[in-house]
Amino acid sequence: TEIYEKSIDLASQKMLQKAEEEGIETAWDRYEKQLPQCSFGQLGVCCRNCNMGPCRIDPFGEGAQKGICGATADIIVARNFLRMIAAGAAAHSDHARDAVLTFKKMSEGEAGSYRIKDEAKLLSLASEYGIPSEGKSLEEVAGKLADTLLQEFGKQDGHLQCTRRVPESRLKLWAELGIEPRGIDREIVECMHRTHIGVDNDAVHILLQGLRTGLSDGWGGSMIATDVQDVLFGTPQPRRSTVNLGVLSSDKVNVIVHGHEPILSEMIVEAAEDPELLKLAEEKGASGINVAGICCTGNETLMRHGTPIAGTFLQQELAVITGAVEAMVVDVQCVMPSLGELTGCYHTKFISTSPKADFPNTVRMEFHENRAYETAKEIVKIAVENFPNRVPEKVTIPEEKQECMVGFSAEAILSALGGSPDPLIEAIKGGAVRGIGAVVGCNNVKIKHNYGHVNLVKELIKNNVLVVTTGCNAIACAEAGLLLPEASEMAGDGLKAVCKALGIPPVLHMGSCVDISRILVLASAIANRLGVDISDLPAAGAAPEWMSEKAVSIGAYVVSSGVFTVLGTIPAVLGSQAVTSLLTGGLNGVVGASFAVEPDPLKAADLMLEHIDEKRKALGL
Ligand code: BF8
Ligand code: SF4
């Protein structure tokens, strides 16, 4: 494959070229070596859930139509899909658990590096959860809130407290369907139980548990992660920054934070400003310390501090290939194990920090709350001391970098609107804004890097759809210059006028992937204000280049919340007619929304526009 077919991004193309010249392997090379990919796997009809197997169903109807236990393609596909949701929900929710545990330790004075940054949000959460705050210290309130939130994980019955934010009609629907999430951990465990041999063997029944588990992520784990991180690190407010590989510095020590938990990256950002380390950097011949993010932990520090971002998921290897990275510091999720071998080809130190996640060839620097800042300082020190090892002949930093405006938490959006969603609702009613598009998710080598993201979003704003974004889509949009107020020039006339009046970009960066919960909160606020369900809103979602199991869980809760969602890569379900037709159609009759699959971003935009127009019509707009 030609380099220009791998990525639309110039900086990435240059690094792919450098990789080729230096004989360095990337995800794209490994993808080519995987081709043709296993068609049983692609269709989802391979089962390894017991040791009588592996079993596979012949998609042409000639060979075996049942596994040894008698499981059909429908059962196998549904079970595999449920396990993906369980893994995705587990990733988000286990991240949330660690955030709450840190919050709890902070309240007990055992995590001295962390503080309460957003008192107002703490107090408003306390009142929402019925925790009295009068006459109590903030730490006491935080401790009580932490206890309450921790119980959400182990709860056996009732329903998750965040679902208080859901419009009543939707909550009632979930109750009728029996898919109200009970406890966060319970739903995930139940998925594993149900998919064990000989338990749940009805595709529809299995998929309903998938919806419930997704909901325990979106309206549970992810939402709790967002809330607690805002209290600990501050609720994002609009600010400017820069993105793409060009943010790496030729004369400063470059430290990359990659992964997902701001518990780590926040401390690294702070440590990079430590006078002692800055002095050391100077002694080593560097003009300073530059922290840049990759993936969602990058989004977290970008949203709260304006720390630059070096790239999306598929740019993690390319960042190392610049030869200018002193340390690649990682925690959990979306970190390629290939970084171990790759960093060995350069001077880059690969530092793993999570007690849960190790990788080949890392320096282990386990991160614990009780001495978070000290560990962060040690990590940054390793990077600084590594600066003299940079090999000038191996360094090429592409000049491409792009400015962006970020920090659009639900709170920030409401305050940009003057305190209530009404001006946005009026703009939608009046037709200046045709609807809202939520575009999120990963990169995937099966789609030209950033091609799906950028073209889908451009098409939406051109058609007056206000776009909200998170995760790698947000980074891709930033790289394409779409996160600037000036980008409203690319928008249709109605949206352009609204953006100009408010001074906002046509594409609003709402945060990391757990922050899709912010989109849910915003959608609920609008629906409640209109007195309708979320499924009645002129809104649609998309994940043009998704790849992770987290994205499957997200899809499950977004659709169950009533939002039509277009996927740009094909999930492994086509081996079952029943599962495919339920996901892409039948769900409409169950939760009032469904999935569609459309790899062509312009056609995907058309599907979203069609849906938005239908909803406008139904609302009489
Ligand atoms: O949680 S969008 S590639 S980085 S999974 Fe991963 Fe996908 Fe990026 Fe963030 Ni989300
Ligand atoms: Fe085969 Fe059934 Fe075992 Fe799966 S659970 S491997 S289909 S026997």
PDB file of all heavy atoms in Angstrom, residues 201-234:
ATOM      1  N   ASN A 201     -28.691 -19.024  25.830  1.00  0.00           N
ATOM      2  CA  ASN A 201     -28.601 -19.510  24.453  1.00  0.00           C
ATOM      3  C   ASN A 201     -29.732 -19.023  23.573  1.00  0.00           C
ATOM      4  O   ASN A 201     -30.229 -19.738  22.704  1.00  0.00           O
ATOM      5  CB  ASN A 201     -28.516 -21.039  24.453  1.00  0.00           C
ATOM      6  CG  ASN A 201     -27.140 -21.501  24.908  1.00  0.00           C
ATOM      7  OD1 ASN A 201     -26.183 -21.458  24.141  1.00  0.00           O
ATOM      8  ND2 ASN A 201     -27.008 -21.870  26.167  1.00  0.00           N
ATOM      9  N   ASP A 202     -30.116 -17.772  23.813  1.00  0.00           N
ATOM     10  CA  ASP A 202     -31.100 -17.139  22.944  1.00  0.00           C
ATOM     11  C   ASP A 202     -30.530 -15.784  22.542  1.00  0.00           C
ATOM     12  O   ASP A 202     -30.207 -14.956  23.401  1.00  0.00           O
ATOM     13  CB  ASP A 202     -32.427 -16.958  23.686  1.00  0.00           C
ATOM     14  CG  ASP A 202     -33.436 -16.233  22.816  1.00  0.00           C
ATOM     15  OD1 ASP A 202     -34.091 -16.903  22.005  1.00  0.00           O
ATOM     16  OD2 ASP A 202     -33.528 -14.986  22.921  1.00  0.00           O
ATOM     17  N   ALA A 203     -30.380 -15.570  21.235  1.00  0.00           N
ATOM     18  CA  ALA A 203     -29.655 -14.377  20.765  1.00  0.00           C
ATOM     19  C   ALA A 203     -30.273 -13.077  21.288  1.00  0.00           C
ATOM     20  O   ALA A 203     -29.561 -12.175  21.733  1.00  0.00           O
ATOM     21  CB  ALA A 203     -29.596 -14.368  19.238  1.00  0.00           C
ATOM     22  N   VAL A 204     -31.592 -12.968  21.258  1.00  0.00           N
ATOM     23  CA  VAL A 204     -32.233 -11.723  21.693  1.00  0.00           C
ATOM     24  C   VAL A 204     -32.011 -11.506  23.182  1.00  0.00           C
ATOM     25  O   VAL A 204     -31.661 -10.411  23.634  1.00  0.00           O
ATOM     26  CB  VAL A 204     -33.746 -11.751  21.365  1.00  0.00           C
ATOM     27  CG1 VAL A 204     -34.440 -10.525  21.938  1.00  0.00           C
ATOM     28  CG2 VAL A 204     -33.945 -11.828  19.857  1.00  0.00           C
ATOM     29  N   HIS A 205     -32.193 -12.563  23.947  1.00  0.00           N
ATOM     30  CA  HIS A 205     -32.002 -12.506  25.391  1.00  0.00           C
ATOM     31  C   HIS A 205     -30.562 -12.103  25.726  1.00  0.00           C
ATOM     32  O   HIS A 205     -30.307 -11.293  26.624  1.00  0.00           O
ATOM     33  CB  HIS A 205     -32.340 -13.890  25.968  1.00  0.00           C
ATOM     34  CG  HIS A 205     -32.598 -13.894  27.433  1.00  0.00           C
ATOM     35  ND1 HIS A 205     -31.854 -14.650  28.314  1.00  0.00           N
ATOM     36  CD2 HIS A 205     -33.504 -13.225  28.175  1.00  0.00           C
ATOM     37  CE1 HIS A 205     -32.315 -14.450  29.541  1.00  0.00           C
ATOM     38  NE2 HIS A 205     -33.310 -13.603  29.496  1.00  0.00           N
ATOM     39  N   ILE A 206     -29.623 -12.644  24.982  1.00  0.00           N
ATOM     40  CA  ILE A 206     -28.203 -12.318  25.181  1.00  0.00           C
ATOM     41  C   ILE A 206     -27.961 -10.837  24.876  1.00  0.00           C
ATOM     42  O   ILE A 206     -27.308 -10.126  25.633  1.00  0.00           O
ATOM     43  CB  ILE A 206     -27.314 -13.206  24.266  1.00  0.00           C
ATOM     44  CG1 ILE A 206     -27.348 -14.657  24.746  1.00  0.00           C
ATOM     45  CG2 ILE A 206     -25.878 -12.682  24.227  1.00  0.00           C
ATOM     46  CD1 ILE A 206     -26.745 -15.657  23.752  1.00  0.00           C
ATOM     47  N   LEU A 207     -28.534 -10.367  23.768  1.00  0.00           N
ATOM     48  CA  LEU A 207     -28.274  -8.980  23.369  1.00  0.00           C
ATOM     49  C   LEU A 207     -28.905  -7.977  24.328  1.00  0.00           C
ATOM     50  O   LEU A 207     -28.366  -6.883  24.539  1.00  0.00           O
ATOM     51  CB  LEU A 207     -28.754  -8.746  21.937  1.00  0.00           C
ATOM     52  CG  LEU A 207     -27.876  -9.455  20.895  1.00  0.00           C
ATOM     53  CD1 LEU A 207     -28.459  -9.298  19.498  1.00  0.00           C
ATOM     54  CD2 LEU A 207     -26.440  -8.942  20.922  1.00  0.00           C
ATOM     55  N   LEU A 208     -30.037  -8.327  24.921  1.00  0.00           N
ATOM     56  CA  LEU A 208     -30.632  -7.413  25.909  1.00  0.00           C
ATOM     57  C   LEU A 208     -29.676  -7.204  27.083  1.00  0.00           C
ATOM     58  O   LEU A 208     -29.542  -6.095  27.609  1.00  0.00           O
ATOM     59  CB  LEU A 208     -31.981  -7.953  26.404  1.00  0.00           C
ATOM     60  CG  LEU A 208     -33.147  -7.784  25.412  1.00  0.00           C
ATOM     61  CD1 LEU A 208     -34.389  -8.521  25.917  1.00  0.00           C
ATOM     62  CD2 LEU A 208     -33.466  -6.303  25.163  1.00  0.00           C
ATOM     63  N   GLN A 209     -28.999  -8.267  27.496  1.00  0.00           N
ATOM     64  CA  GLN A 209     -28.004  -8.113  28.554  1.00  0.00           C
ATOM     65  C   GLN A 209     -26.857  -7.219  28.068  1.00  0.00           C
ATOM     66  O   GLN A 209     -26.273  -6.464  28.845  1.00  0.00           O
ATOM     67  CB  GLN A 209     -27.475  -9.484  29.011  1.00  0.00           C
ATOM     68  CG  GLN A 209     -26.324  -9.426  30.025  1.00  0.00           C
ATOM     69  CD  GLN A 209     -26.690  -8.717  31.326  1.00  0.00           C
ATOM     70  OE1 GLN A 209     -27.854  -8.474  31.626  1.00  0.00           O
ATOM     71  NE2 GLN A 209     -25.668  -8.368  32.106  1.00  0.00           N
ATOM     72  N   GLY A 210     -26.581  -7.271  26.760  1.00  0.00           N
ATOM     73  CA  GLY A 210     -25.558  -6.388  26.198  1.00  0.00           C
ATOM     74  C   GLY A 210     -25.960  -4.924  26.354  1.00  0.00           C
ATOM     75  O   GLY A 210     -25.144  -4.075  26.713  1.00  0.00           O
ATOM     76  N   LEU A 211     -27.232  -4.639  26.107  1.00  0.00           N
ATOM     77  CA  LEU A 211     -27.699  -3.252  26.248  1.00  0.00           C
ATOM     78  C   LEU A 211     -27.582  -2.823  27.712  1.00  0.00           C
ATOM     79  O   LEU A 211     -27.119  -1.728  28.026  1.00  0.00           O
ATOM     80  CB  LEU A 211     -29.153  -3.127  25.773  1.00  0.00           C
ATOM     81  CG  LEU A 211     -29.432  -3.528  24.323  1.00  0.00           C
ATOM     82  CD1 LEU A 211     -30.880  -3.228  23.956  1.00  0.00           C
ATOM     83  CD2 LEU A 211     -28.490  -2.833  23.342  1.00  0.00           C
ATOM     84  N   ARG A 212     -28.004  -3.700  28.617  1.00  0.00           N
ATOM     85  CA  ARG A 212     -27.956  -3.351  30.039  1.00  0.00           C
ATOM     86  C   ARG A 212     -26.517  -3.111  30.494  1.00  0.00           C
ATOM     87  O   ARG A 212     -26.235  -2.185  31.251  1.00  0.00           O
ATOM     88  CB  ARG A 212     -28.598  -4.481  30.864  1.00  0.00           C
ATOM     89  CG  ARG A 212     -28.462  -4.272  32.348  1.00  0.00           C
ATOM     90  CD  ARG A 212     -29.545  -4.955  33.150  1.00  0.00           C
ATOM     91  NE  ARG A 212     -29.526  -6.401  33.008  1.00  0.00           N
ATOM     92  CZ  ARG A 212     -30.396  -7.215  33.634  1.00  0.00           C
ATOM     93  NH1 ARG A 212     -31.320  -6.707  34.421  1.00  0.00           N
ATOM     94  NH2 ARG A 212     -30.330  -8.509  33.453  1.00  0.00           N
ATOM     95  N   THR A 213     -25.609  -3.938  30.000  1.00  0.00           N
ATOM     96  CA  THR A 213     -24.201  -3.781  30.390  1.00  0.00           C
ATOM     97  C   THR A 213     -23.624  -2.491  29.812  1.00  0.00           C
ATOM     98  O   THR A 213     -22.886  -1.769  30.485  1.00  0.00           O
ATOM     99  CB  THR A 213     -23.389  -5.000  29.920  1.00  0.00           C
ATOM    100  OG1 THR A 213     -24.036  -6.180  30.414  1.00  0.00           O
ATOM    101  CG2 THR A 213     -21.962  -4.947  30.443  1.00  0.00           C
ATOM    102  N   GLY A 214     -23.985  -2.205  28.571  1.00  0.00           N
ATOM    103  CA  GLY A 214     -23.563  -0.930  27.986  1.00  0.00           C
ATOM    104  C   GLY A 214     -24.057   0.230  28.843  1.00  0.00           C
ATOM    105  O   GLY A 214     -23.299   1.148  29.170  1.00  0.00           O
ATOM    106  N   LEU A 215     -25.320   0.167  29.247  1.00  0.00           N
ATOM    107  CA  LEU A 215     -25.881   1.251  30.073  1.00  0.00           C
ATOM    108  C   LEU A 215     -25.133   1.390  31.394  1.00  0.00           C
ATOM    109  O   LEU A 215     -24.976   2.497  31.918  1.00  0.00           O
ATOM    110  CB  LEU A 215     -27.375   1.010  30.318  1.00  0.00           C
ATOM    111  CG  LEU A 215     -28.261   1.184  29.069  1.00  0.00           C
ATOM    112  CD1 LEU A 215     -29.696   0.759  29.355  1.00  0.00           C
ATOM    113  CD2 LEU A 215     -28.219   2.621  28.561  1.00  0.00           C
ATOM    114  N   SER A 216     -24.661   0.264  31.940  1.00  0.00           N
ATOM    115  CA  SER A 216     -23.914   0.344  33.205  1.00  0.00           C
ATOM    116  C   SER A 216     -22.573   1.049  32.999  1.00  0.00           C
ATOM    117  O   SER A 216     -21.972   1.539  33.943  1.00  0.00           O
ATOM    118  CB  SER A 216     -23.691  -1.050  33.793  1.00  0.00           C
ATOM    119  OG  SER A 216     -22.575  -1.682  33.169  1.00  0.00           O
ATOM    120  N   ASP A 217     -22.129   1.107  31.756  1.00  0.00           N
ATOM    121  CA  ASP A 217     -20.911   1.850  31.411  1.00  0.00           C
ATOM    122  C   ASP A 217     -21.260   3.329  31.214  1.00  0.00           C
ATOM    123  O   ASP A 217     -20.812   4.202  31.965  1.00  0.00           O
ATOM    124  CB  ASP A 217     -20.297   1.228  30.143  1.00  0.00           C
ATOM    125  CG  ASP A 217     -19.147   2.031  29.539  1.00  0.00           C
ATOM    126  OD1 ASP A 217     -18.823   3.105  30.060  1.00  0.00           O
ATOM    127  OD2 ASP A 217     -18.583   1.572  28.525  1.00  0.00           O
ATOM    128  N   GLY A 218     -22.135   3.611  30.253  1.00  0.00           N
ATOM    129  CA  GLY A 218     -22.435   5.004  29.922  1.00  0.00           C
ATOM    130  C   GLY A 218     -23.031   5.803  31.069  1.00  0.00           C
ATOM    131  O   GLY A 218     -22.596   6.915  31.366  1.00  0.00           O
ATOM    132  N   TRP A 219     -24.047   5.215  31.711  1.00  0.00           N
ATOM    133  CA  TRP A 219     -24.733   5.904  32.806  1.00  0.00           C
ATOM    134  C   TRP A 219     -24.204   5.433  34.157  1.00  0.00           C
ATOM    135  O   TRP A 219     -24.836   5.632  35.192  1.00  0.00           O
ATOM    136  CB  TRP A 219     -26.248   5.690  32.720  1.00  0.00           C
ATOM    137  CG  TRP A 219     -26.844   6.267  31.474  1.00  0.00           C
ATOM    138  CD1 TRP A 219     -27.072   5.609  30.298  1.00  0.00           C
ATOM    139  CD2 TRP A 219     -27.291   7.618  31.269  1.00  0.00           C
ATOM    140  NE1 TRP A 219     -27.629   6.468  29.373  1.00  0.00           N
ATOM    141  CE2 TRP A 219     -27.779   7.705  29.945  1.00  0.00           C
ATOM    142  CE3 TRP A 219     -27.314   8.766  32.081  1.00  0.00           C
ATOM    143  CZ2 TRP A 219     -28.288   8.886  29.407  1.00  0.00           C
ATOM    144  CZ3 TRP A 219     -27.829   9.941  31.540  1.00  0.00           C
ATOM    145  CH2 TRP A 219     -28.308   9.992  30.214  1.00  0.00           C
ATOM    146  N   GLY A 220     -23.053   4.753  34.125  1.00  0.00           N
ATOM    147  CA  GLY A 220     -22.442   4.264  35.363  1.00  0.00           C
ATOM    148  C   GLY A 220     -20.969   4.591  35.350  1.00  0.00           C
ATOM    149  O   GLY A 220     -20.555   5.713  35.605  1.00  0.00           O
ATOM    150  N   GLY A 221     -20.160   3.585  35.000  1.00  0.00           N
ATOM    151  CA  GLY A 221     -18.713   3.747  35.072  1.00  0.00           C
ATOM    152  C   GLY A 221     -18.188   5.004  34.396  1.00  0.00           C
ATOM    153  O   GLY A 221     -17.488   5.814  35.018  1.00  0.00           O
ATOM    154  N   SER A 222     -18.511   5.189  33.127  1.00  0.00           N
ATOM    155  CA  SER A 222     -17.958   6.346  32.409  1.00  0.00           C
ATOM    156  C   SER A 222     -18.401   7.658  33.051  1.00  0.00           C
ATOM    157  O   SER A 222     -17.612   8.596  33.188  1.00  0.00           O
ATOM    158  CB  SER A 222     -18.388   6.315  30.938  1.00  0.00           C
ATOM    159  OG  SER A 222     -17.610   5.377  30.235  1.00  0.00           O
ATOM    160  N   MET A 223     -19.665   7.706  33.438  1.00  0.00           N
ATOM    161  CA  MET A 223     -20.195   8.960  34.001  1.00  0.00           C
ATOM    162  C   MET A 223     -19.541   9.270  35.351  1.00  0.00           C
ATOM    163  O   MET A 223     -19.216  10.420  35.658  1.00  0.00           O
ATOM    164  CB  MET A 223     -21.714   8.860  34.132  1.00  0.00           C
ATOM    165  CG  MET A 223     -22.383  10.213  34.182  1.00  0.00           C
ATOM    166  SD  MET A 223     -24.164  10.109  33.946  1.00  0.00           S
ATOM    167  CE  MET A 223     -24.324  10.106  32.162  1.00  0.00           C
ATOM    168  N   ILE A 224     -19.335   8.217  36.131  1.00  0.00           N
ATOM    169  CA  ILE A 224     -18.673   8.399  37.427  1.00  0.00           C
ATOM    170  C   ILE A 224     -17.222   8.854  37.215  1.00  0.00           C
ATOM    171  O   ILE A 224     -16.722   9.740  37.901  1.00  0.00           O
ATOM    172  CB  ILE A 224     -18.739   7.088  38.246  1.00  0.00           C
ATOM    173  CG1 ILE A 224     -20.184   6.845  38.714  1.00  0.00           C
ATOM    174  CG2 ILE A 224     -17.797   7.132  39.440  1.00  0.00           C
ATOM    175  CD1 ILE A 224     -20.409   5.495  39.389  1.00  0.00           C
ATOM    176  N   ALA A 225     -16.544   8.241  36.234  1.00  0.00           N
ATOM    177  CA  ALA A 225     -15.160   8.639  35.945  1.00  0.00           C
ATOM    178  C   ALA A 225     -15.107  10.127  35.615  1.00  0.00           C
ATOM    179  O   ALA A 225     -14.294  10.880  36.157  1.00  0.00           O
ATOM    180  CB  ALA A 225     -14.598   7.813  34.789  1.00  0.00           C
ATOM    181  N   THR A 226     -15.982  10.568  34.728  1.00  0.00           N
ATOM    182  CA  THR A 226     -15.992  11.978  34.329  1.00  0.00           C
ATOM    183  C   THR A 226     -16.233  12.876  35.543  1.00  0.00           C
ATOM    184  O   THR A 226     -15.505  13.852  35.771  1.00  0.00           O
ATOM    185  CB  THR A 226     -17.093  12.224  33.277  1.00  0.00           C
ATOM    186  OG1 THR A 226     -16.795  11.445  32.124  1.00  0.00           O
ATOM    187  CG2 THR A 226     -17.166  13.688  32.884  1.00  0.00           C
ATOM    188  N   ASP A 227     -17.261  12.551  36.331  1.00  0.00           N
ATOM    189  CA  ASP A 227     -17.616  13.409  37.466  1.00  0.00           C
ATOM    190  C   ASP A 227     -16.468  13.527  38.471  1.00  0.00           C
ATOM    191  O   ASP A 227     -16.108  14.626  38.894  1.00  0.00           O
ATOM    192  CB  ASP A 227     -18.863  12.845  38.184  1.00  0.00           C
ATOM    193  CG  ASP A 227     -20.145  13.181  37.426  1.00  0.00           C
ATOM    194  OD1 ASP A 227     -20.117  14.093  36.585  1.00  0.00           O
ATOM    195  OD2 ASP A 227     -21.183  12.527  37.686  1.00  0.00           O
ATOM    196  N   VAL A 228     -15.911  12.377  38.834  1.00  0.00           N
ATOM    197  CA  VAL A 228     -14.861  12.392  39.863  1.00  0.00           C
ATOM    198  C   VAL A 228     -13.601  13.089  39.342  1.00  0.00           C
ATOM    199  O   VAL A 228     -12.962  13.865  40.046  1.00  0.00           O
ATOM    200  CB  VAL A 228     -14.567  10.947  40.316  1.00  0.00           C
ATOM    201  CG1 VAL A 228     -13.268  10.879  41.092  1.00  0.00           C
ATOM    202  CG2 VAL A 228     -15.714  10.438  41.173  1.00  0.00           C
ATOM    203  N   GLN A 229     -13.261  12.839  38.086  1.00  0.00           N
ATOM    204  CA  GLN A 229     -12.077  13.488  37.508  1.00  0.00           C
ATOM    205  C   GLN A 229     -12.271  15.001  37.444  1.00  0.00           C
ATOM    206  O   GLN A 229     -11.325  15.757  37.650  1.00  0.00           O
ATOM    207  CB  GLN A 229     -11.775  12.885  36.133  1.00  0.00           C
ATOM    208  CG  GLN A 229     -11.225  11.460  36.279  1.00  0.00           C
ATOM    209  CD  GLN A 229     -11.097  10.669  34.989  1.00  0.00           C
ATOM    210  OE1 GLN A 229     -10.647   9.541  35.024  1.00  0.00           O
ATOM    211  NE2 GLN A 229     -11.502  11.227  33.868  1.00  0.00           N
ATOM    212  N   ASP A 230     -13.480  15.437  37.183  1.00  0.00           N
ATOM    213  CA  ASP A 230     -13.737  16.880  37.179  1.00  0.00           C
ATOM    214  C   ASP A 230     -13.527  17.476  38.568  1.00  0.00           C
ATOM    215  O   ASP A 230     -12.952  18.553  38.714  1.00  0.00           O
ATOM    216  CB  ASP A 230     -15.171  17.174  36.707  1.00  0.00           C
ATOM    217  CG  ASP A 230     -15.305  17.122  35.193  1.00  0.00           C
ATOM    218  OD1 ASP A 230     -14.278  16.940  34.508  1.00  0.00           O
ATOM    219  OD2 ASP A 230     -16.440  17.261  34.690  1.00  0.00           O
ATOM    220  N   VAL A 231     -14.010  16.770  39.601  1.00  0.00           N
ATOM    221  CA  VAL A 231     -13.831  17.285  40.966  1.00  0.00           C
ATOM    222  C   VAL A 231     -12.343  17.332  41.302  1.00  0.00           C
ATOM    223  O   VAL A 231     -11.840  18.315  41.847  1.00  0.00           O
ATOM    224  CB  VAL A 231     -14.596  16.415  41.982  1.00  0.00           C
ATOM    225  CG1 VAL A 231     -14.276  16.866  43.409  1.00  0.00           C
ATOM    226  CG2 VAL A 231     -16.105  16.484  41.744  1.00  0.00           C
ATOM    227  N   LEU A 232     -11.620  16.281  40.956  1.00  0.00           N
ATOM    228  CA  LEU A 232     -10.194  16.197  41.308  1.00  0.00           C
ATOM    229  C   LEU A 232      -9.308  17.117  40.478  1.00  0.00           C
ATOM    230  O   LEU A 232      -8.330  17.662  40.979  1.00  0.00           O
ATOM    231  CB  LEU A 232      -9.690  14.763  41.119  1.00  0.00           C
ATOM    232  CG  LEU A 232      -9.954  13.754  42.243  1.00  0.00           C
ATOM    233  CD1 LEU A 232      -9.516  12.370  41.788  1.00  0.00           C
ATOM    234  CD2 LEU A 232      -9.218  14.144  43.522  1.00  0.00           C
ATOM    235  N   PHE A 233      -9.629  17.246  39.199  1.00  0.00           N
ATOM    236  CA  PHE A 233      -8.704  17.947  38.297  1.00  0.00           C
ATOM    237  C   PHE A 233      -9.287  19.198  37.669  1.00  0.00           C
ATOM    238  O   PHE A 233      -8.604  19.910  36.949  1.00  0.00           O
ATOM    239  CB  PHE A 233      -8.219  16.988  37.197  1.00  0.00           C
ATOM    240  CG  PHE A 233      -7.667  15.703  37.735  1.00  0.00           C
ATOM    241  CD1 PHE A 233      -8.167  14.478  37.331  1.00  0.00           C
ATOM    242  CD2 PHE A 233      -6.646  15.727  38.673  1.00  0.00           C
ATOM    243  CE1 PHE A 233      -7.659  13.284  37.840  1.00  0.00           C
ATOM    244  CE2 PHE A 233      -6.136  14.548  39.202  1.00  0.00           C
ATOM    245  CZ  PHE A 233      -6.642  13.325  38.786  1.00  0.00           C
ATOM    246  N   GLY A 234     -10.560  19.441  37.907  1.00  0.00           N
ATOM    247  CA  GLY A 234     -11.197  20.628  37.345  1.00  0.00           C
ATOM    248  C   GLY A 234     -12.098  20.276  36.173  1.00  0.00           C
ATOM    249  O   GLY A 234     -11.768  19.413  35.363  1.00  0.00           O
TER     250      GLY A 234
END
